[in-house]
Amino acid sequence: MRTALRASISTAFLAGALLAPIAGTAYAATTPQAAAATVPARYAGTPVLIDTGVVAVLRNAAEGPEVWIRAASDSWKPGDDYMARVLATLDVKHLKASVNGLELELVGKDSARPSLSVVKGGTTKSYPLPQAPTAPADCVSQTKQVGLGAGLQADLTMSPKGPKVVMHDADPADTWTRTLTRTDPKGSEGHFSRINNPSGAKPVFEWKTQGGKNVPSGFATFPALPKGCTPEYPVTEETPAPKPEPSTSKPVTATNVSTQTTGQTTVVPQGSVAAGAEIASEDTDNSITVAAGAGLLAVFAALGATVLRRRRSHS
């Protein structure tokens, strides 16, 4: 299939999505060919030949009554592959269609056994659909369909086994699918898709439809469990990552500079000391400061007496 959520939802995925319409057009233009022998459950059904080169695939599963009208080879017979080009689709929202001179109608959509009516040249034939299941299998919820963009869709369900996502192409002719479950909640490395909080009470499906780390994700909640159903696993919520603790260190200010300079060998001289004297930090107690001051006064006094004697001698 188009390798793309696909193969990501990354740049490679986006390229695949852009090429998909071209590939689909080329496929439709060719003579119908037999597809893979294994038919995905989403498109499997009871195939019947309703006209030369036209097969109706009759379904009546959890999604409701459906009929896929597909092109086939002129020599098609029961047992042959039928996953070729789609000509029309009938369901509860699309009850009628016209294909190759055939007038098609889904009859009795609300009954337990709907049927496909085929009218050709004034002659009507009826093809009953399979019997509808009496109850949802495994207590499965109603299917929630979500458009993912880039030609992809996702079917979201909830059951006692947990949340489930089936991603597939919107074009029934493309058989690519990818399934996420509670025990396998993440897509492959090439697909940005995952079930957040898969074992929690409110799981959420997250996806991206194109590449780039700054592209926002899409989110969708899952439908509720049917009444009377309970999870068969312990409901545990994902624990959010702990937030970093705020820093307890105090900023350095003018009032605590002295406590921050322990270990310095010198300090910047100020005032009269700036003329050239340097005082080691370990010598900055009061007694040393007084002694240094007295020494300086003695030096200045001696200099003053020398200058005074020279002036007297000159006079």
Side-chain angles (χ1 to χ4, degrees):
M1 109 143 223
R2 305 190 271 251
T3 58
L5 215 46
R6 237 134 135 148
S8 158
I9 282 181
S10 68
T11 304
F13 160 78
L14 181 59
L18 293 174
L19 292 175
I22 299 175
T25 302
Y27 180 78
T30 61
T31 303
Q33 301 292 328
T38 302
V39 180
R42 177 66 181 83
Y43 307 115
T46 303
V48 294
L49 186 66
I50 60 175
D51 197 27
T52 302
V54 181
V55 170
V57 182
L58 311 176
R59 289 176 43 82
N60 197 7
E63 298 82 7
E66 295 177 332
V67 179
W68 299 93
I69 308 299
R70 295 181 177 273
S73 65
D74 292 346
S75 59
W76 187 92
K77 60 184 181 299
D80 291 349
D81 292 332
Y82 56 84
M83 289 297 294
R85 181 164 51 99
V86 174
L87 303 177
T89 303
L90 302 180
D91 54 30
V92 293
K93 295 182 178 180
H94 309 88
L95 300 177
K96 296 182 179 182
S98 297
V99 174
N100 295 350
L102 304 176
E103 296 300 324
L104 310 174
E105 182 178 1
L106 180 60
V107 180
K109 64 181 181 65
D110 296 323
S111 65
R113 196 73 185 271
S115 62
L116 170 67
S117 172
V118 180
V119 179
K120 179 180 180 181
T123 300
T124 302
K125 292 184 179 181
S126 181
Y127 301 88
L129 273 62
Q131 182 72 39
T134 56
D138 196 27
C139 239
V140 179
S141 69
Q142 293 293 322
T143 301
K144 180 177 181 179
Q145 293 187 330
V146 179
L148 307 180
L152 292 177
Q153 290 184 354
D155 298 335
L156 277 60
T157 56
M158 194 71 180
S159 75
K161 296 183 181 298
K164 181 178 178 180
V165 179
V166 178
M167 296 176 287
H168 58 88
D169 200 281
D171 181 2
D174 196 326
T175 60
W176 176 86
T177 61
R178 178 70 172 92
T179 301
L180 307 181
T181 63
R182 181 183 67 87
T183 56
D184 184 20
K186 295 182 179 180
S188 62
E189 292 184 359
H191 296 69
F192 188 89
S193 57
R194 64 189 178 194
I195 300 175
N196 295 328
N197 200 23
S199 296
K202 295 182 179 180
V204 174
F205 175 51
E206 178 183 2
W207 76 93
K208 285 187 179 181
T209 55
Q210 56 183 334
K213 63 180 181 180
N214 295 324
V215 176
S217 296
F219 299 89
T221 57
F222 285 81
L225 273 172
K227 290 184 178 181
C229 293
T230 58
E232 60 183 34
Y233 52 89
V235 177
T236 55
E237 307 295 336
E238 287 184 349
T239 304
K243 296 182 179 179
E245 295 294 333
S247 175
T248 57
S249 60
K250 296 181 179 179
V252 177
T253 62
T255 59
N256 62 6
V257 169
S258 61
T259 62
Q260 298 293 329
T261 56
T262 302
Q264 282 185 318
T265 58
T266 60
V267 295
V268 178
Q270 297 180 356
S272 59
V273 184
E278 290 186 356
I279 304 174
S281 60
E282 60 269 23
D283 296 332
T284 55
D285 61 302
N286 292 337
S287 61
I288 297 300
T289 302
V290 172
L296 288 174
L297 289 176
V299 172
F300 291 144
L303 290 175
T306 301
V307 173
L308 182 60
R309 284 197 299 270
R310 287 181 180 178
R311 287 182 178 177
R312 288 178 178 175
S313 63
H314 285 296
S315 60

